[in-house]
């Protein structure tokens, strides 16, 4: 069944109320045609999460000079992997709950229809290249944990300490924040010690907690951040990370003039996760999926939710059956909403962004929410000869991590059960 734009708008109550749907079209002078929604349709083209923006020139030049599509995408994601200041990927990634950085990555090479993936890898910075090595140097598709690390070393990757001082201090702050019930943080003799009962908001329902988190916790946490040696200009960002353990990742898809297409995704995953947790990023079909006949898609955001809707694969299948990149992505987001029966009190604690590139060069960036907070909209970065970032088309109005206060549930969505019937 093909899904016309008209049907799509008609059947999507959320689509109708969300301020962002059509935002990309509006940016292009209110042209709401399918063409405008689907990007420029130029080839070659690379699309990626916005943290890859600074590395697009290099990847694009490589692609334009005849370089392989997967290698072009890998050049882009290697930038954030190598950057100690990007705390969502590679070196400097936020660690797991034990303070150990564990990375996930996968890739798909469209022209040869191959895939590679590594999950829960320690001590290896460029896991995207390790994923490619699984694809090219083994008969497997996925390696995890210690085996993946040993394989990467065998392939020439150095073992490195990936935990930067910056990420270590944020992790310690997170440990201490949760330490009214353990022995981390100031002890009984410390002037800053607080009795567990004095924990702000104790005994109150979750819904009443947010304003207090906004005041007392932020002040306490900021003081602790200072104690831990976090620089004043980074203290509030560290507090935010502790209150809302962030996700963060980079996906990149590249398409050349001949129509060959590939994609890859790499991440340090959810901050403070349980050791051994793999998110969507190393899962072929969730964090990334490329089909040479259709296109390529990838994801950043709440990995657990994306695995449950097999997001990237769902998007490719939607496009195979006639949806535009934007429609295909919005449909995958609606499946996430459906998994919570539209319960905004739960959905506001998760987020998801999809980066979608069709084989003809049409593209879309779609997100569940407008952004993490006001002024920080989700963006897709593009290079098709003109490097730029565009605001993603959002399904739901509002922000997943407003700080403080928590995002309000938009009035019109409070009774969104209608939509779910
Ligand atoms: N999806 C990644 C994960 O869940 C994190 C992210 O994209 O921010 O591991």
């Amino acid at each position: 069944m093909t899904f016309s734009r008209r049907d799509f708008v008609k059947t999507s109550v959320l689509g109708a109320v969300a301020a962002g749907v059509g935002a990309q079209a509006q940016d292009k002078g209110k042209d709401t045609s399918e063409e405008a929604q689907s990007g420029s349709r130029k080839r070659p083209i690379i699309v990626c999460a916005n943290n890859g923006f600074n590395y697009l020139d290099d990847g694009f030049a490589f692609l334009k000079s005849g370089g392989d599509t997967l290698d072009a995408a890998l050049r882009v994601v290697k930038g954030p992997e190598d950057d100690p200041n990007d705390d969502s990927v590679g070196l400097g990634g936020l660690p797991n709950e034990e303070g150990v950085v564990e990375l996930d990555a996968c890739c798909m090479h469209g022209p040869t229809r191959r895939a590679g993936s590594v999950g829960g890898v320690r001590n290896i910075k460029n896991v995207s290249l390790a994923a490619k090595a699984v694809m090219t140097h083994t008969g497997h598709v996925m390696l995890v944990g210690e085996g993946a690390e040993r394989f990467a070393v065998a392939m020439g990757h150095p073992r490195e300490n990936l935990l930067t001082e910056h990420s270590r201090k944020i992790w310690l702050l997170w440990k201490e924040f949760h330490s009214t019930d353990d022995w981390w943080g100031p002890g009984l003799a410390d002037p800053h010690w607080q009795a567990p009962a004095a924990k702000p908001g104790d005994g109150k329902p979750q819904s009443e907690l947010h304003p207090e988190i906004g005041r007392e916790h932020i002040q306490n946490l900021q003081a602790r951040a200072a104690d831990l040696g976090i620089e004043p200009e980074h203290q509030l960002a560290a507090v935010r990370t502790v209150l809302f353990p962030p996700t963060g990742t980079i996906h990149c898809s590249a398409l050349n003039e001949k129509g060959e297409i590939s994609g890859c995704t790499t991440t340090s995953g959810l901050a403070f996760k349980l050791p051994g947790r793999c998110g969507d990023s190393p899962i072929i079909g969730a964090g990334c999926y490329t089909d040479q006949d259709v296109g390529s898609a990838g994801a950043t955001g709440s990995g657990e939710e994306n695995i449950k809707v097999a997001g990237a694969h769902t998007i490719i299948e939607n496009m195979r059956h006639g949806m535009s990149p934007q429609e295909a992505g919005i449909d995958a987001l609606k499946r996430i909403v459906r998994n919570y029966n539209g319960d905004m009190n739960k959905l506001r604690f998760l987020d998801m962004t999809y980066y979608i590139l069709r084989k003809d060069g049409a593209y879309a960036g779609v997100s569940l929410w407008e952004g993490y907070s006001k002024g920080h909209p989700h963006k897709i970065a593009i290079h098709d000869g003109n490097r730029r970032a565009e605001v993603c088309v959002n399904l739901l109005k509002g922000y997943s991590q407003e700080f403080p206060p928590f995002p309000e549930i938009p009035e019109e969505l409070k009774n969104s059960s209608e939509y779910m019937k």
Side-chain angles (χ1 to χ4, degrees):
M1 178 191 117
T2 49
F3 212 51
S4 74
R5 171 164 159 73
R6 202 189 173 130
D7 289 341
F8 172 70
V9 171
K10 208 166 72 187
T11 55
S12 169
V13 172
L14 289 177
V17 294
V21 169
Q24 280 180 351
Q26 280 165 23
D27 286 350
K28 293 173 189 286
K30 296 209 178 346
D31 182 356
T32 54
S33 69
E34 186 83 1
E35 176 82 18
Q37 281 190 71
S38 297
S40 64
R41 297 198 193 194
K42 279 191 191 161
R43 297 196 309 208
I45 178 171
I46 304 183
V47 302
C48 66
N50 202 32
N51 49 345
F53 185 84
N54 290 337
Y55 310 98
L56 275 174
D57 281 343
D58 175 61
F60 187 77
F62 177 82
L63 188 63
K64 194 141 173 103
S65 66
D68 177 73
T69 48
L70 179 56
D71 290 335
L74 289 167
R75 283 173 94 105
V76 174
V77 305
K78 187 174 182 296
E81 279 182 345
D82 289 344
D83 179 1
N85 298 315
D86 186 324
D87 65 12
S88 70
V89 183
L91 175 66
L94 287 165
N96 67 19
E97 68 172 0
E98 293 173 353
V100 180
V101 180
E102 282 184 349
L103 306 178
D104 300 332
C106 76
C107 65
M108 286 191 90
H109 189 242
T112 57
R113 297 175 186 276
R114 287 181 300 168
S117 154
V118 291
V121 184
R122 301 177 174 196
N123 305 315
I124 304 293
K125 180 175 63 181
N126 297 121
V127 278
S128 60
L129 296 176
K132 183 188 170 189
V134 171
M135 180 183 95
T136 51
H137 289 278
T138 78
H140 304 309
V141 166
M142 186 171 197
L143 294 178
V144 300
E146 203 193 320
E149 180 183 337
R150 293 204 325 241
F151 168 75
V153 170
M155 295 311 301
H157 291 257
R159 279 198 173 89
E160 313 176 46
N161 175 19
L162 304 178
L163 187 65
T164 56
E165 271 304 277
H166 178 73
S167 289
R168 185 185 64 79
K169 286 174 185 169
I170 294 176
W171 166 71
L172 262 183
L173 185 64
W174 177 83
K175 283 295 268 187
E176 295 197 0
F177 174 63
H178 290 93
S179 63
T180 45
D181 302 324
D182 66 27
W183 295 100
W184 285 87
L188 208 53
D190 190 287
H192 298 308
W193 183 82
Q194 276 189 324
K199 200 167 142 189
D202 252 11
K204 293 199 176 153
Q206 179 97 352
S207 56
E208 288 173 28
L209 275 179
H210 303 148
E212 289 192 44
I213 287 176
R215 282 190 296 275
E216 285 184 51
H217 277 204
I218 290 166
Q219 282 163 9
N220 288 342
L221 274 167
Q222 206 175 345
R224 292 238 184 123
D227 282 351
L228 287 169
I230 296 176
E231 304 81 358
E233 67 273 25
H234 294 137
Q235 285 168 7
L236 269 181
V239 169
R240 183 193 180 118
T241 298
V242 165
L243 289 175
F244 307 105
T247 52
T249 293
I250 177 162
H251 166 77
C252 184
S253 288
L255 171 71
N256 67 13
E257 263 165 10
K258 290 186 272 180
E260 292 170 343
I261 191 164
S262 296
C264 59
T265 300
T266 177
T267 191
S268 54
L270 182 65
F272 321 128
K273 60 194 173 186
L274 299 193
R277 176 263 191 191
C278 280
D280 57 329
S281 304
I283 307 295
I284 303 289
C288 180
Y289 196 74
T290 304
D291 186 316
Q292 181 53 50
D293 298 334
V294 180
S296 183
T300 63
S302 310
E304 280 72 9
E305 307 312 325
N306 193 35
I307 291 172
K308 288 188 287 180
V309 298
H313 184 262
T314 292
I315 288 167
I316 298 301
E317 292 311 301
N318 282 344
M319 290 198 293
R320 192 195 305 279
H321 294 113
M323 287 190 197
S324 71
Q326 181 177 310
E327 289 168 346
I330 292 285
D331 174 73
L333 293 171
K334 287 167 75 177
R335 293 179 193 212
I336 293 174
V337 172
R338 174 68 185 91
N339 279 346
Y340 287 98
N341 291 320
D343 182 345
M344 294 300 146
N345 270 322
K346 292 188 174 169
L347 288 166
R348 64 184 178 164
F349 293 103
L350 57 95
D351 209 346
M352 183 57 57
T353 303
Y354 291 121
Y355 311 87
I356 307 159
L357 181 58
R358 204 168 57 188
K359 203 191 154 184
D360 62 355
Y363 66 86
V366 300
S367 57
L368 187 63
W369 294 99
E370 287 170 62
Y372 291 121
S373 60
K374 241 182 207 134
H376 298 100
H378 292 304
K379 288 183 180 169
I380 178 172
I382 303 125
H383 204 326
D384 56 7
N386 167 27
R387 186 179 65 154
R388 61 195 180 279
E390 291 179 7
V391 171
C392 290
V393 170
N394 54 295
L395 178 63
L396 304 179
K397 189 177 168 184
Y399 303 90
S400 56
Q401 294 181 5
E402 192 63 287
F403 172 76
F406 268 56
E408 280 294 306
I409 305 172
E411 257 327 296
E412 64 272 36
L413 294 184
K414 280 187 177 155
N415 290 318
S416 68
S417 52
E418 282 283 290
Y419 160 75
M420 294 300 152
K421 277 178 192 158

